[in-house]
PDB file of all heavy atoms in Angstrom:
ATOM      1  N   MET V 691      44.613 -29.692 -54.132  1.00 91.00           N
ATOM      2  CA  MET V 691      44.291 -31.133 -54.109  1.00 91.00           C
ATOM      3  C   MET V 691      45.335 -31.935 -54.849  1.00 91.00           C
ATOM      4  O   MET V 691      45.637 -33.094 -54.517  1.00 91.00           O
ATOM      5  CB  MET V 691      42.901 -31.418 -54.681  1.00 91.00           C
ATOM      6  CG  MET V 691      41.764 -30.903 -53.882  1.00 91.00           C
ATOM      7  SD  MET V 691      41.618 -31.753 -52.282  1.00 91.00           S
ATOM      8  CE  MET V 691      42.107 -30.473 -51.138  1.00 91.00           C
ATOM      9  N   ALA V 692      45.955 -31.352 -55.880  1.00 93.00           N
ATOM     10  CA  ALA V 692      47.038 -32.030 -56.630  1.00 93.00           C
ATOM     11  C   ALA V 692      48.273 -32.195 -55.755  1.00 93.00           C
ATOM     12  O   ALA V 692      49.040 -33.155 -55.943  1.00 93.00           O
ATOM     13  CB  ALA V 692      47.354 -31.270 -57.913  1.00 93.00           C
ATOM     14  N   GLY V 693      48.467 -31.325 -54.784  1.00 93.00           N
ATOM     15  CA  GLY V 693      49.636 -31.407 -53.922  1.00 93.00           C
ATOM     16  C   GLY V 693      49.567 -32.486 -52.885  1.00 93.00           C
ATOM     17  O   GLY V 693      50.588 -32.864 -52.294  1.00 93.00           O
ATOM     18  N   ILE V 694      48.388 -33.032 -52.660  1.00 91.00           N
ATOM     19  CA  ILE V 694      48.235 -34.078 -51.647  1.00 91.00           C
ATOM     20  C   ILE V 694      49.043 -35.334 -52.020  1.00 91.00           C
ATOM     21  O   ILE V 694      49.525 -36.038 -51.119  1.00 91.00           O
ATOM     22  CB  ILE V 694      46.714 -34.404 -51.403  1.00 91.00           C
ATOM     23  CG1 ILE V 694      46.068 -33.184 -50.803  1.00 91.00           C
ATOM     24  CG2 ILE V 694      46.518 -35.635 -50.600  1.00 91.00           C
ATOM     25  CD1 ILE V 694      44.587 -33.332 -50.560  1.00 91.00           C
ATOM     26  N   ALA V 695      49.203 -35.596 -53.282  1.00 90.00           N
ATOM     27  CA  ALA V 695      49.975 -36.785 -53.727  1.00 90.00           C
ATOM     28  C   ALA V 695      51.436 -36.639 -53.258  1.00 90.00           C
ATOM     29  O   ALA V 695      52.093 -37.658 -52.953  1.00 90.00           O
ATOM     30  CB  ALA V 695      49.922 -36.910 -55.227  1.00 90.00           C
ATOM     31  N   ASP V 696      51.952 -35.430 -53.139  1.00 93.00           N
ATOM     32  CA  ASP V 696      53.307 -35.158 -52.632  1.00 93.00           C
ATOM     33  C   ASP V 696      53.362 -34.863 -51.142  1.00 93.00           C
ATOM     34  O   ASP V 696      54.356 -34.365 -50.651  1.00 93.00           O
ATOM     35  CB  ASP V 696      53.949 -34.013 -53.393  1.00 93.00           C
ATOM     36  CG  ASP V 696      54.019 -34.264 -54.885  1.00 93.00           C
ATOM     37  OD1 ASP V 696      54.251 -35.430 -55.244  1.00 93.00           O
ATOM     38  OD2 ASP V 696      53.913 -33.309 -55.696  1.00 93.00           O
ATOM     39  N   LYS V 697      52.272 -35.143 -50.432  1.00 94.00           N
ATOM     40  CA  LYS V 697      52.105 -34.884 -49.029  1.00 94.00           C
ATOM     41  C   LYS V 697      52.218 -33.384 -48.712  1.00 94.00           C
ATOM     42  O   LYS V 697      52.840 -32.986 -47.716  1.00 94.00           O
ATOM     43  CB  LYS V 697      53.121 -35.667 -48.187  1.00 94.00           C
ATOM     44  CG  LYS V 697      52.820 -37.171 -48.184  1.00 94.00           C
ATOM     45  CD  LYS V 697      53.567 -37.860 -47.138  1.00 94.00           C
ATOM     46  CE  LYS V 697      53.135 -39.319 -47.077  1.00 94.00           C
ATOM     47  NZ  LYS V 697      53.697 -40.021 -45.947  1.00 94.00           N
ATOM     48  N   LYS V 698      51.635 -32.541 -49.563  1.00 96.00           N
ATOM     49  CA  LYS V 698      51.575 -31.108 -49.327  1.00 96.00           C
ATOM     50  C   LYS V 698      50.124 -30.709 -49.108  1.00 96.00           C
ATOM     51  O   LYS V 698      49.270 -30.948 -49.976  1.00 96.00           O
ATOM     52  CB  LYS V 698      52.152 -30.346 -50.550  1.00 96.00           C
ATOM     53  CG  LYS V 698      53.622 -30.548 -50.692  1.00 96.00           C
ATOM     54  CD  LYS V 698      54.152 -29.692 -51.856  1.00 96.00           C
ATOM     55  CE  LYS V 698      55.646 -29.871 -51.986  1.00 96.00           C
ATOM     56  NZ  LYS V 698      56.231 -28.998 -52.997  1.00 96.00           N
ATOM     57  N   TYR V 699      49.862 -30.134 -47.970  1.00 96.00           N
ATOM     58  CA  TYR V 699      48.506 -29.754 -47.607  1.00 96.00           C
ATOM     59  C   TYR V 699      48.457 -28.216 -47.404  1.00 96.00           C
ATOM     60  O   TYR V 699      49.377 -27.601 -46.889  1.00 96.00           O
ATOM     61  CB  TYR V 699      48.089 -30.419 -46.292  1.00 96.00           C
ATOM     62  CG  TYR V 699      48.009 -31.924 -46.440  1.00 96.00           C
ATOM     63  CD1 TYR V 699      49.128 -32.714 -46.168  1.00 96.00           C
ATOM     64  CD2 TYR V 699      46.867 -32.537 -46.835  1.00 96.00           C
ATOM     65  CE1 TYR V 699      49.083 -34.104 -46.301  1.00 96.00           C
ATOM     66  CE2 TYR V 699      46.795 -33.932 -46.977  1.00 96.00           C
ATOM     67  CZ  TYR V 699      47.911 -34.689 -46.738  1.00 96.00           C
ATOM     68  OH  TYR V 699      47.857 -36.056 -46.833  1.00 96.00           O
ATOM     69  N   THR V 700      47.376 -27.622 -47.902  1.00 96.00           N
ATOM     70  CA  THR V 700      47.232 -26.174 -47.868  1.00 96.00           C
ATOM     71  C   THR V 700      46.169 -25.749 -46.867  1.00 96.00           C
ATOM     72  O   THR V 700      45.066 -26.301 -46.867  1.00 96.00           O
ATOM     73  CB  THR V 700      46.878 -25.614 -49.285  1.00 96.00           C
ATOM     74  OG1 THR V 700      47.805 -26.146 -50.221  1.00 96.00           O
ATOM     75  CG2 THR V 700      46.925 -24.125 -49.343  1.00 96.00           C
ATOM     76  N   PHE V 701      46.492 -24.803 -46.011  1.00 97.00           N
ATOM     77  CA  PHE V 701      45.580 -24.318 -44.956  1.00 97.00           C
ATOM     78  C   PHE V 701      45.527 -22.796 -44.972  1.00 97.00           C
ATOM     79  O   PHE V 701      46.507 -22.116 -45.281  1.00 97.00           O
ATOM     80  CB  PHE V 701      46.027 -24.759 -43.591  1.00 97.00           C
ATOM     81  CG  PHE V 701      46.075 -26.216 -43.389  1.00 97.00           C
ATOM     82  CD1 PHE V 701      47.260 -26.944 -43.512  1.00 97.00           C
ATOM     83  CD2 PHE V 701      44.920 -26.938 -43.089  1.00 97.00           C
ATOM     84  CE1 PHE V 701      47.305 -28.301 -43.307  1.00 97.00           C
ATOM     85  CE2 PHE V 701      44.957 -28.310 -42.915  1.00 97.00           C
ATOM     86  CZ  PHE V 701      46.161 -28.973 -43.025  1.00 97.00           C
ATOM     87  N   LYS V 702      44.349 -22.273 -44.585  1.00 97.00           N
ATOM     88  CA  LYS V 702      44.207 -20.824 -44.274  1.00 97.00           C
ATOM     89  C   LYS V 702      44.607 -20.715 -42.790  1.00 97.00           C
ATOM     90  O   LYS V 702      44.115 -21.458 -41.950  1.00 97.00           O
ATOM     91  CB  LYS V 702      42.767 -20.380 -44.511  1.00 97.00           C
ATOM     92  CG  LYS V 702      42.528 -18.943 -44.260  1.00 97.00           C
ATOM     93  CD  LYS V 702      41.132 -18.532 -44.602  1.00 97.00           C
ATOM     94  CE  LYS V 702      40.933 -17.055 -44.361  1.00 97.00           C
ATOM     95  NZ  LYS V 702      39.575 -16.640 -44.690  1.00 97.00           N
ATOM     96  N   VAL V 703      45.548 -19.812 -42.495  1.00 97.00           N
ATOM     97  CA  VAL V 703      46.057 -19.677 -41.161  1.00 97.00           C
ATOM     98  C   VAL V 703      45.914 -18.263 -40.652  1.00 97.00           C
ATOM     99  O   VAL V 703      45.618 -17.344 -41.449  1.00 97.00           O
ATOM    100  CB  VAL V 703      47.537 -20.097 -41.050  1.00 97.00           C
ATOM    101  CG1 VAL V 703      47.676 -21.567 -41.384  1.00 97.00           C
ATOM    102  CG2 VAL V 703      48.425 -19.301 -41.975  1.00 97.00           C
ATOM    103  N   ALA V 704      46.110 -18.062 -39.347  1.00 97.00           N
ATOM    104  CA  ALA V 704      46.053 -16.723 -38.760  1.00 97.00           C
ATOM    105  C   ALA V 704      47.146 -15.813 -39.368  1.00 97.00           C
ATOM    106  O   ALA V 704      48.262 -16.300 -39.627  1.00 97.00           O
ATOM    107  CB  ALA V 704      46.237 -16.816 -37.239  1.00 97.00           C
ATOM    108  N   LYS V 705      46.821 -14.553 -39.576  1.00 97.00           N
ATOM    109  CA  LYS V 705      47.784 -13.650 -40.236  1.00 97.00           C
ATOM    110  C   LYS V 705      49.035 -13.439 -39.427  1.00 97.00           C
ATOM    111  O   LYS V 705      50.094 -13.163 -39.980  1.00 97.00           O
ATOM    112  CB  LYS V 705      47.076 -12.280 -40.522  1.00 97.00           C
ATOM    113  CG  LYS V 705      46.113 -12.373 -41.686  1.00 97.00           C
ATOM    114  CD  LYS V 705      45.396 -11.080 -41.850  1.00 97.00           C
ATOM    115  CE  LYS V 705      46.304 -10.064 -42.506  1.00 97.00           C
ATOM    116  NZ  LYS V 705      45.609  -8.814 -42.911  1.00 97.00           N
ATOM    117  N   ASP V 706      48.950 -13.508 -38.100  1.00 96.00           N
ATOM    118  CA  ASP V 706      50.113 -13.246 -37.249  1.00 96.00           C
ATOM    119  C   ASP V 706      50.878 -14.522 -36.867  1.00 96.00           C
ATOM    120  O   ASP V 706      51.820 -14.437 -36.066  1.00 96.00           O
ATOM    121  CB  ASP V 706      49.696 -12.457 -36.011  1.00 96.00           C
ATOM    122  CG  ASP V 706      48.675 -13.221 -35.170  1.00 96.00           C
ATOM    123  OD1 ASP V 706      48.054 -14.153 -35.706  1.00 96.00           O
ATOM    124  OD2 ASP V 706      48.468 -12.850 -34.034  1.00 96.00           O
ATOM    125  N   ALA V 707      50.504 -15.672 -37.409  1.00 96.00           N
ATOM    126  CA  ALA V 707      51.187 -16.903 -37.068  1.00 96.00           C
ATOM    127  C   ALA V 707      52.480 -17.053 -37.869  1.00 96.00           C
ATOM    128  O   ALA V 707      52.531 -16.708 -39.041  1.00 96.00           O
ATOM    129  CB  ALA V 707      50.241 -18.089 -37.350  1.00 96.00           C
ATOM    130  N   ASN V 708      53.519 -17.582 -37.221  1.00 96.00           N
ATOM    131  CA  ASN V 708      54.742 -17.843 -37.945  1.00 96.00           C
ATOM    132  C   ASN V 708      54.863 -19.314 -38.293  1.00 96.00           C
ATOM    133  O   ASN V 708      54.032 -20.127 -37.947  1.00 96.00           O
ATOM    134  CB  ASN V 708      55.983 -17.365 -37.160  1.00 96.00           C
ATOM    135  CG  ASN V 708      56.092 -18.025 -35.817  1.00 96.00           C
ATOM    136  OD1 ASN V 708      55.762 -19.187 -35.653  1.00 96.00           O
ATOM    137  ND2 ASN V 708      56.609 -17.326 -34.801  1.00 96.00           N
ATOM    138  N   LYS V 709      55.916 -19.670 -39.001  1.00 97.00           N
ATOM    139  CA  LYS V 709      56.065 -21.048 -39.544  1.00 97.00           C
ATOM    140  C   LYS V 709      56.179 -22.083 -38.433  1.00 97.00           C
ATOM    141  O   LYS V 709      55.645 -23.175 -38.535  1.00 97.00           O
ATOM    142  CB  LYS V 709      57.278 -21.133 -40.455  1.00 97.00           C
ATOM    143  CG  LYS V 709      57.077 -20.352 -41.734  1.00 97.00           C
ATOM    144  CD  LYS V 709      58.295 -20.520 -42.626  1.00 97.00           C
ATOM    145  CE  LYS V 709      58.117 -19.723 -43.911  1.00 97.00           C
ATOM    146  NZ  LYS V 709      59.196 -20.005 -44.893  1.00 97.00           N
ATOM    147  N   ILE V 710      56.866 -21.725 -37.369  1.00 96.00           N
ATOM    148  CA  ILE V 710      57.048 -22.665 -36.200  1.00 96.00           C
ATOM    149  C   ILE V 710      55.718 -22.935 -35.551  1.00 96.00           C
ATOM    150  O   ILE V 710      55.360 -24.085 -35.266  1.00 96.00           O
ATOM    151  CB  ILE V 710      58.071 -22.105 -35.235  1.00 96.00           C
ATOM    152  CG1 ILE V 710      59.427 -21.996 -35.906  1.00 96.00           C
ATOM    153  CG2 ILE V 710      58.169 -22.968 -33.995  1.00 96.00           C
ATOM    154  CD1 ILE V 710      60.439 -21.173 -35.128  1.00 96.00           C
ATOM    155  N   GLU V 711      54.899 -21.911 -35.321  1.00 96.00           N
ATOM    156  CA  GLU V 711      53.579 -22.077 -34.694  1.00 96.00           C
ATOM    157  C   GLU V 711      52.672 -22.886 -35.603  1.00 96.00           C
ATOM    158  O   GLU V 711      51.900 -23.718 -35.113  1.00 96.00           O
ATOM    159  CB  GLU V 711      52.949 -20.732 -34.437  1.00 96.00           C
ATOM    160  CG  GLU V 711      53.619 -19.915 -33.330  1.00 96.00           C
ATOM    161  CD  GLU V 711      53.096 -18.484 -33.227  1.00 96.00           C
ATOM    162  OE1 GLU V 711      52.440 -18.011 -34.173  1.00 96.00           O
ATOM    163  OE2 GLU V 711      53.270 -17.912 -32.134  1.00 96.00           O
ATOM    164  N   ILE V 712      52.747 -22.671 -36.904  1.00 97.00           N
ATOM    165  CA  ILE V 712      51.905 -23.373 -37.827  1.00 97.00           C
ATOM    166  C   ILE V 712      52.257 -24.870 -37.850  1.00 97.00           C
ATOM    167  O   ILE V 712      51.419 -25.754 -37.807  1.00 97.00           O
ATOM    168  CB  ILE V 712      52.009 -22.803 -39.263  1.00 97.00           C
ATOM    169  CG1 ILE V 712      51.425 -21.380 -39.299  1.00 97.00           C
ATOM    170  CG2 ILE V 712      51.331 -23.685 -40.294  1.00 97.00           C
ATOM    171  CD1 ILE V 712      51.751 -20.610 -40.542  1.00 97.00           C
ATOM    172  N   ALA V 713      53.588 -25.168 -37.850  1.00 97.00           N
ATOM    173  CA  ALA V 713      54.008 -26.563 -37.837  1.00 97.00           C
ATOM    174  C   ALA V 713      53.581 -27.292 -36.555  1.00 97.00           C
ATOM    175  O   ALA V 713      53.071 -28.427 -36.597  1.00 97.00           O
ATOM    176  CB  ALA V 713      55.537 -26.624 -37.951  1.00 97.00           C
ATOM    177  N   GLN V 714      53.725 -26.631 -35.422  1.00 96.00           N
ATOM    178  CA  GLN V 714      53.279 -27.226 -34.152  1.00 96.00           C
ATOM    179  C   GLN V 714      51.780 -27.426 -34.109  1.00 96.00           C
ATOM    180  O   GLN V 714      51.291 -28.443 -33.607  1.00 96.00           O
ATOM    181  CB  GLN V 714      53.733 -26.355 -32.970  1.00 96.00           C
ATOM    182  CG  GLN V 714      55.248 -26.344 -32.760  1.00 96.00           C
ATOM    183  CD  GLN V 714      55.697 -25.349 -31.751  1.00 96.00           C
ATOM    184  OE1 GLN V 714      54.929 -24.455 -31.345  1.00 96.00           O
ATOM    185  NE2 GLN V 714      56.952 -25.407 -31.341  1.00 96.00           N
ATOM    186  N   ALA V 715      51.017 -26.487 -34.659  1.00 96.00           N
ATOM    187  CA  ALA V 715      49.553 -26.588 -34.668  1.00 96.00           C
ATOM    188  C   ALA V 715      49.087 -27.762 -35.536  1.00 96.00           C
ATOM    189  O   ALA V 715      48.221 -28.514 -35.137  1.00 96.00           O
ATOM    190  CB  ALA V 715      48.934 -25.284 -35.170  1.00 96.00           C
ATOM    191  N   VAL V 716      49.699 -27.924 -36.707  1.00 96.00           N
ATOM    192  CA  VAL V 716      49.322 -29.024 -37.594  1.00 96.00           C
ATOM    193  C   VAL V 716      49.679 -30.350 -36.985  1.00 96.00           C
ATOM    194  O   VAL V 716      48.877 -31.348 -37.029  1.00 96.00           O
ATOM    195  CB  VAL V 716      49.963 -28.876 -38.987  1.00 96.00           C
ATOM    196  CG1 VAL V 716      49.792 -30.125 -39.827  1.00 96.00           C
ATOM    197  CG2 VAL V 716      49.408 -27.676 -39.705  1.00 96.00           C
ATOM    198  N   GLU V 717      50.834 -30.463 -36.311  1.00 95.00           N
ATOM    199  CA  GLU V 717      51.255 -31.667 -35.654  1.00 95.00           C
ATOM    200  C   GLU V 717      50.307 -32.006 -34.519  1.00 95.00           C
ATOM    201  O   GLU V 717      49.957 -33.200 -34.283  1.00 95.00           O
ATOM    202  CB  GLU V 717      52.666 -31.576 -35.145  1.00 95.00           C
ATOM    203  CG  GLU V 717      53.713 -31.633 -36.230  1.00 95.00           C
ATOM    204  CD  GLU V 717      55.124 -31.496 -35.735  1.00 95.00           C
ATOM    205  OE1 GLU V 717      55.331 -31.205 -34.517  1.00 95.00           O
ATOM    206  OE2 GLU V 717      56.074 -31.642 -36.555  1.00 95.00           O
ATOM    207  N   THR V 718      49.850 -31.006 -33.789  1.00 95.00           N
ATOM    208  CA  THR V 718      48.923 -31.247 -32.669  1.00 95.00           C
ATOM    209  C   THR V 718      47.509 -31.619 -33.164  1.00 95.00           C
ATOM    210  O   THR V 718      46.946 -32.591 -32.604  1.00 95.00           O
ATOM    211  CB  THR V 718      48.776 -29.923 -31.838  1.00 95.00           C
ATOM    212  OG1 THR V 718      50.116 -29.559 -31.389  1.00 95.00           O
ATOM    213  CG2 THR V 718      47.896 -30.191 -30.645  1.00 95.00           C
ATOM    214  N   LEU V 719      47.024 -30.950 -34.172  1.00 94.00           N
ATOM    215  CA  LEU V 719      45.668 -31.234 -34.641  1.00 94.00           C
ATOM    216  C   LEU V 719      45.520 -32.540 -35.359  1.00 94.00           C
ATOM    217  O   LEU V 719      44.542 -33.292 -35.171  1.00 94.00           O
ATOM    218  CB  LEU V 719      45.180 -30.099 -35.545  1.00 94.00           C
ATOM    219  CG  LEU V 719      44.857 -28.747 -34.910  1.00 94.00           C
ATOM    220  CD1 LEU V 719      44.591 -27.732 -35.979  1.00 94.00           C
ATOM    221  CD2 LEU V 719      43.685 -28.923 -33.965  1.00 94.00           C
ATOM    222  N   PHE V 720      46.483 -32.900 -36.202  1.00 93.00           N
ATOM    223  CA  PHE V 720      46.310 -34.041 -37.071  1.00 93.00           C
ATOM    224  C   PHE V 720      47.238 -35.228 -36.746  1.00 93.00           C
ATOM    225  O   PHE V 720      47.219 -36.242 -37.435  1.00 93.00           O
ATOM    226  CB  PHE V 720      46.548 -33.617 -38.524  1.00 93.00           C
ATOM    227  CG  PHE V 720      45.604 -32.551 -38.993  1.00 93.00           C
ATOM    228  CD1 PHE V 720      46.031 -31.267 -39.207  1.00 93.00           C
ATOM    229  CD2 PHE V 720      44.244 -32.848 -39.202  1.00 93.00           C
ATOM    230  CE1 PHE V 720      45.177 -30.269 -39.598  1.00 93.00           C
ATOM    231  CE2 PHE V 720      43.380 -31.840 -39.621  1.00 93.00           C
ATOM    232  CZ  PHE V 720      43.838 -30.554 -39.817  1.00 93.00           C
ATOM    233  N   LYS V 721      48.058 -35.112 -35.681  1.00 94.00           N
ATOM    234  CA  LYS V 721      48.967 -36.187 -35.228  1.00 94.00           C
ATOM    235  C   LYS V 721      49.876 -36.672 -36.357  1.00 94.00           C
ATOM    236  O   LYS V 721      49.975 -37.849 -36.640  1.00 94.00           O
ATOM    237  CB  LYS V 721      48.130 -37.350 -34.676  1.00 94.00           C
ATOM    238  CG  LYS V 721      47.109 -36.999 -33.655  1.00 94.00           C
ATOM    239  CD  LYS V 721      47.701 -36.583 -32.323  1.00 94.00           C
ATOM    240  CE  LYS V 721      46.689 -36.421 -31.226  1.00 94.00           C
ATOM    241  NZ  LYS V 721      45.922 -35.240 -31.260  1.00 94.00           N
ATOM    242  N   VAL V 722      50.530 -35.742 -37.036  1.00 95.00           N
ATOM    243  CA  VAL V 722      51.465 -36.030 -38.126  1.00 95.00           C
ATOM    244  C   VAL V 722      52.810 -35.360 -37.859  1.00 95.00           C
ATOM    245  O   VAL V 722      52.910 -34.531 -36.916  1.00 95.00           O
ATOM    246  CB  VAL V 722      50.911 -35.577 -39.505  1.00 95.00           C
ATOM    247  CG1 VAL V 722      49.686 -36.340 -39.903  1.00 95.00           C
ATOM    248  CG2 VAL V 722      50.609 -34.075 -39.483  1.00 95.00           C
TER     249      VAL V 722
END
């Protein structure tokens, strides 16, 4: 929650997901 001020959000993700897939998923879900 302290990281939100710096626009850092923490998520639990699938174990086999890579950084590119995670970035695309967050952009799709939250429109950011």
Side-chain angles (χ1 to χ4, degrees):
M691 291 294 111
I694 292 178
D696 299 327
K697 292 196 173 186
K698 292 184 179 184
Y699 297 90
T700 308
F701 297 99
K702 182 176 181 179
V703 295
K705 286 176 74 170
D706 59 344
N708 60 33
K709 292 182 180 187
I710 297 167
E711 292 173 339
I712 294 167
Q714 291 172 348
V716 170
E717 287 179 353
T718 303
L719 288 173
F720 301 108
K721 310 289 188 282
V722 294

